């Protein structure tokens, strides 16, 4: 059946910006309540029943979980699950529900220890180095020329936390701190050295997450994930790299979307580059406390181009007899995306080109662009769960001539 293209092939949300804490009015509460300790059992536990289910080999944790009381909104407790030997002693700490902990334990990331070495995950790629940059803290620079689809980074998180709103700031801070402090020294120190937004020591562990976390959905549970190395990518509204999170491998990958010179900064997008400049600016300011001064934010033509993009997309979605859509319009749309530096977001314009060529009965061109749309989706959708990927795979498998759009505009 006919589909309208609008959404990018993304299933995880863009870099996280939840309001975990309210400094303006919650600060007094923070200071008062941080004094109360949570009790952390010694490791290994003197109460094996605390953390060793007797019949369950899905239990890869090296410490006894530390749990909150039952939280009303999720009707479950949250516990800290740590595995210090995870991925060659990199370690991982997860603050989640007992049932989601079991789901984590059943992921290939935990079940198959070879998965990381065989996929070159958590190993140096010799493509980047960090550097202090004017007005933007630390950033990632290309250590050699890079081309489309080159892999820049592939790392697992040091820390994941279930996204909840039940805990007070101080309570949450205690659990998160305990979780991070259980990590191997090197990993913990990387976490503790990351950028913060507020620089307030009493809420440091949440501050690091607020400035650096990505959102990852594992078996329906939303988690914030902190990837230490990956946290050094700065933002650009026309980024030259695109990230993707594979929930089965618990791995964050960054790939190049257009040629990058040696020494050039490698950037990703923290906010949708298809939003208007004021929308992007306010999101970056509110969530990450900086004013974006990238080429698109300082150009006077960006919003006009975005309006043209939107009107072309409306026309290309119009399959009525009076539609003005054509392959030429779809090609123009592709040019606009490239002009704006949106090479990492091309699944929608490639898709429109595939449909527009199919609509006029050009099988070869429709196939070419369907393949490109499919490839662009895969840059953003590791497990092929988005609707977009299914559309292009369907068109390629069944044949363009069988597609609903075939010769619809002749
Ligand atoms: C995920 S961290 C990126 C790495 C960070 N620069 C560092 O020193 O660790 C996010 C923070 O970096 C800074 N940042 C990222 N992109 C920026 C940009 N385009 N311009 C200015 N600051 C930026 C902001 O302070 C933001 O809160």
């Amino acid at each position: 059946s006919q589909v309208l293209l609008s959404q990018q092939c993304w299933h995880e949300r863009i870099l996280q910006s939840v309001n975990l804490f309210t400094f303006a009015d919650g600060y007094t509460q923070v200071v008062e309540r941080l004094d109360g300790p949570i009790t952390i059992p010694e490791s290994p536990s003197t109460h094996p029943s605390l953390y060793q289910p007797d019949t369950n080999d899905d239990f890869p944790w090296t410490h006894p979980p530390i749990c909150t009381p039952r939280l009303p909104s999720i009707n479950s407790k949250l516990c800290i699950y740590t595995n210090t030997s995870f991925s060659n002693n990199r370690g991982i700490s997860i603050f989640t529900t007992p049932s989601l902990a079991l789901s984590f334990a059943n992921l290939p990331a935990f079940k198959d220890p070879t998965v990381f070495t065989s996929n070159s995950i958590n190993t140096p790629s010799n493509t980047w180095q960090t550097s202090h940059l004017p007005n933007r803290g630390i950033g990632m620079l290309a250590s050699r020329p890079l081309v489309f689809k080159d892999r820049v980074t592939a790392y697992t998180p040091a820390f994941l936390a279930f996204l909840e709103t039940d805990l007070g700031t101080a309570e949450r801070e205690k659990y998160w701190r305990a979780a991070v402090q259980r990590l191997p020294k090197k990993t913990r120190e990387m976490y503790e050295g990351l950028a913060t937004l507020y620089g307030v020591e009493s809420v440091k562990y949440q501050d690091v997450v607020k400035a650096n976390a990505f959102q990852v959905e594992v078996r329906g549970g939303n988690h914030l994930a902190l990837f230490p190395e990956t946290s050094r990518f700065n933002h650009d509204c026309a980024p030259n790299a695109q990230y993707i999170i594979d929930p089965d491998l618990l791995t964050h990958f960054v790939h190049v979307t257009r040629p990058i010179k040696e020494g050039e900064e490698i950037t990703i997008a923290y906010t949708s580059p298809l939003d208007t400049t004021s929308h992007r600016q306010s999101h970056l300011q509110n969530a990450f406390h900086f004013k974006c001064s990238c080429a698109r934010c300082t150009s006077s033509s960006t919003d006009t181009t975005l309006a043209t993009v939107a009107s072309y997309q409306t026309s290309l979605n119009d399959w009525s007899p009076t539609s003005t859509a054509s392959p030429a319009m779809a090609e123009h749309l592709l040019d606009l995306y490239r002009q704006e530096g949106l090479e990492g977001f091309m699944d929608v314009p490639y898709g429109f080109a595939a449909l527009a060529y199919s609509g006029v009965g050009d099988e070869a061109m429709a196939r070419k662009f369907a393949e490109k749309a499919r490839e662009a989706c895969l840059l953003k959708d590791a497990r092929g769960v988005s609707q977009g990927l299914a559309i292009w795979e369907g068109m390629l498998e069944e044949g363009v001539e069988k597609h609903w759009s075939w010769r619809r505009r002749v």
Side-chain angles (χ1 to χ4, degrees):
S1 65
Q2 183 173 326
V3 287
L4 298 184
L5 294 183
S6 60
Q7 292 298 308
Q8 303 288 141
C9 270
W10 297 5
H11 64 281
E12 87 256 0
R13 259 155 278 167
I14 213 102
L15 196 61
Q16 191 42 234
S17 59
V18 273
N19 275 325
L20 282 172
F21 33 88
T22 46
F23 275 82
D25 54 8
Y27 194 63
T28 329
Q29 175 218 349
V30 172
V31 176
E32 277 169 13
R33 291 182 47 201
L34 268 177
D35 303 336
I38 51 170
T39 36
I40 303 174
E42 288 299 306
S43 172
S45 174
T46 47
H47 307 283
S49 60
L50 254 183
Y51 74 109
Q52 275 172 6
D54 14 79
T55 55
N56 188 347
D57 62 2
D58 293 333
F59 207 85
W61 318 115
T62 51
H63 293 60
I66 305 168
C67 302
T68 66
R70 182 168 296 271
L71 305 183
S73 81
I74 53 172
N75 194 27
S76 170
K77 55 188 179 177
L78 290 172
C79 308
I80 303 169
Y81 298 91
T82 304
N83 182 332
T84 49
S85 56
F86 183 76
S87 186
N88 293 325
N89 304 323
R90 177 180 174 83
I92 189 167
S93 260
I94 310 176
F95 186 50
T96 195
T97 66
S99 82
L100 282 166
L102 205 59
S103 296
F104 275 102
N106 280 304
L107 293 175
F110 279 95
K111 283 279 176 207
D112 177 7
T114 66
V115 82
F116 299 118
T117 36
S118 62
N119 287 288
S120 305
I121 293 165
N122 296 332
T123 54
S125 64
N126 302 318
T127 52
W128 58 274
Q129 65 211 34
T130 56
S131 181
H132 287 269
L133 303 169
N135 304 319
R136 49 209 284 135
I138 294 175
M140 308 275 276
L141 304 187
S143 54
R144 59 176 174 81
L146 300 170
V147 296
F148 180 60
K149 291 217 286 200
D150 276 352
R151 186 199 272 186
V152 185
T153 50
Y155 285 102
T156 55
F159 174 61
L160 288 130
F162 186 86
L163 193 50
E164 47 67 32
T165 49
D166 297 67
L167 292 173
T169 301
E171 284 301 298
R172 184 181 303 115
E173 182 71 12
K174 283 188 277 188
Y175 286 102
W176 289 18
R177 180 192 297 144
V180 175
Q181 287 181 347
R182 287 183 158 190
L183 290 168
K185 184 163 180 280
K186 193 171 159 224
T187 307
R188 172 168 50 85
E189 285 176 355
M190 266 197 285
Y191 183 111
E192 290 169 346
L194 291 172
T196 53
L197 296 181
Y198 298 94
V200 177
E201 200 53 35
S202 58
V203 288
K204 173 170 178 131
Y205 292 84
Q206 289 169 88
D207 204 350
V208 165
V209 164
K210 173 115 172 128
N212 297 285
F214 292 80
Q215 191 166 318
V216 183
E217 200 180 291
V218 173
R219 308 278 146 99
N222 264 327
H223 294 78
L224 300 172
L226 198 285
F227 303 86
E229 295 83 353
T230 306
S231 293
R232 300 301 186 181
F233 284 101
N234 283 323
H235 163 87
D236 198 286
C237 297
N240 53 20
Q242 176 66 285
Y243 68 86
I244 184 169
I245 297 170
D246 185 323
D248 288 354
L249 295 178
L250 278 182
T251 301
H252 181 293
F253 295 91
V254 173
H255 295 103
V256 172
T257 54
R258 63 170 174 268
I260 303 179
K261 297 195 191 82
E262 182 176 340
E264 194 182 331
E265 184 172 10
I266 310 169
T267 53
I268 58 172
Y270 296 2
T271 187
S272 173
L274 295 157
D275 285 338
T276 59
T277 304
S278 69
H279 193 281
R280 299 194 311 275
Q281 287 276 16
S282 69
H283 179 235
L284 294 170
Q285 187 59 252
N286 294 337
F288 300 101
H289 298 196
F290 73 91
K291 184 171 188 327
C292 186
S293 55
C294 77
R296 290 183 73 226
C297 280
T298 47
S299 146
S300 55
S301 64
T302 302
D303 288 343
T304 323
T305 307
L306 286 175
T308 311
V309 163
S311 86
Y312 281 176
Q313 296 191 170
T314 305
S315 301
L316 289 160
N317 264 330
D318 175 4
W319 291 87
S320 72
T322 55
S323 174
T324 56
S326 65
M329 182 183 276
E331 297 269 7
H332 196 185
L333 181 67
L334 279 164
D335 288 342
L336 292 179
Y337 268 75
R338 291 194 195 99
Q339 259 171 46
E340 287 293 298
L342 303 180
E343 291 87 348
F345 302 82
M346 299 288 273
D347 57 297
V348 165
Y350 279 140
F352 276 122
L355 295 180
Y357 277 108
S358 166
V360 298
D362 188 334
E363 200 267 345
M365 291 297 274
R367 176 164 281 277
K368 170 185 146 180
F369 283 114
E371 269 159 13
K372 286 192 171 286
R374 181 181 168 277
E375 181 183 57
C377 278
L378 287 172
L379 261 185
K380 210 42 213 167
D381 178 5
R383 295 283 146 195
V385 297
S386 67
Q387 188 205 20
L389 191 66
I391 298 174
W392 310 121
E393 289 192 329
M395 190 182 206
L396 290 166
E397 263 161 44
E398 283 159 35
V400 178
E401 279 122 336
K402 296 226 176 73
H403 197 258
W404 61 262
S405 59
W406 179 246
R407 292 176 61 81
R408 274 278 296 270
R409 287 196 181 118
V410 290

